[in-house]
Amino acid sequence: QVQLVESGGGLVQAGGSLRLSCAASGISFSINTMGWYRQAPGKQRELVASITPGGTIANYADSVKGRFTISKNNAKNTVFLQMDSLKPEDTAVYYCNRASGRYVDWGQGTQVTVSS
């Protein structure tokens, strides 16, 4: 059974930083393209960043490019999202999941709230 556990969210002022973590069991990050998604109230879930199995290629949504950095530790089966220069519009629940192929069961997500 796959389990994804996101952590690291919180309340931060605009311009601040947060580092999110996603730990997993039942799925190997070393053979999956993984992504960070977010869902703001009243909006659809969107992919904001993804990283290839080997961790060599990352892609970002235009809205976060230059501010967010995705990385991973395959040995610890963990993926990270470093978020800098946060904006109020980054406020959302953040989730990790596969970014290629079928989704696995979603975790509970971690809330990020950016105050202006």
Side-chain angles (χ1 to χ4, degrees):
Q1 184 176 358
V2 176
Q3 186 175 21
L4 300 170
V5 180
E6 300 91 349
S7 62
L11 173 63
V12 64
Q13 288 188 331
S17 298
L18 285 172
R19 181 177 170 85
L20 307 184
S21 299
C22 171
S25 58
I27 179 173
S28 174
F29 286 179
S30 64
I31 58 172
N32 282 281
T33 296
M34 296 300 298
W36 279 98
Y37 299 77
R38 68 184 181 188
Q39 187 167 22
K43 295 188 177 181
Q44 288 190 330
R45 190 172 294 173
E46 62 171 340
L47 177 65
V48 297
S50 64
I51 190 165
T52 51
T56 55
I57 299 174
N59 289 290
Y60 301 92
D62 288 343
S63 58
V64 307
K65 199 170 294 183
R67 300 187 298 120
F68 290 10
T69 303
I70 188 171
S71 61
K72 64 188 319 194
N73 183 328
N74 283 337
K76 295 186 177 181
N77 222 32
T78 304
V79 62
F80 305 97
L81 186 68
Q82 177 67 40
M83 305 187 297
D84 298 316
S85 302
L86 282 162
K87 303 176 180 180
E89 51 263 45
D90 295 319
T91 295
V93 180
Y94 284 72
Y95 305 85
C96 68
N97 209 308
R98 297 176 72 187
S100 178
R102 185 177 297 180
Y103 295 134
V104 297
D105 290 344
W106 293 90
Q108 82 289 349
T110 186
Q111 175 70 49
V112 171
T113 303
V114 184
S115 63
S116 56

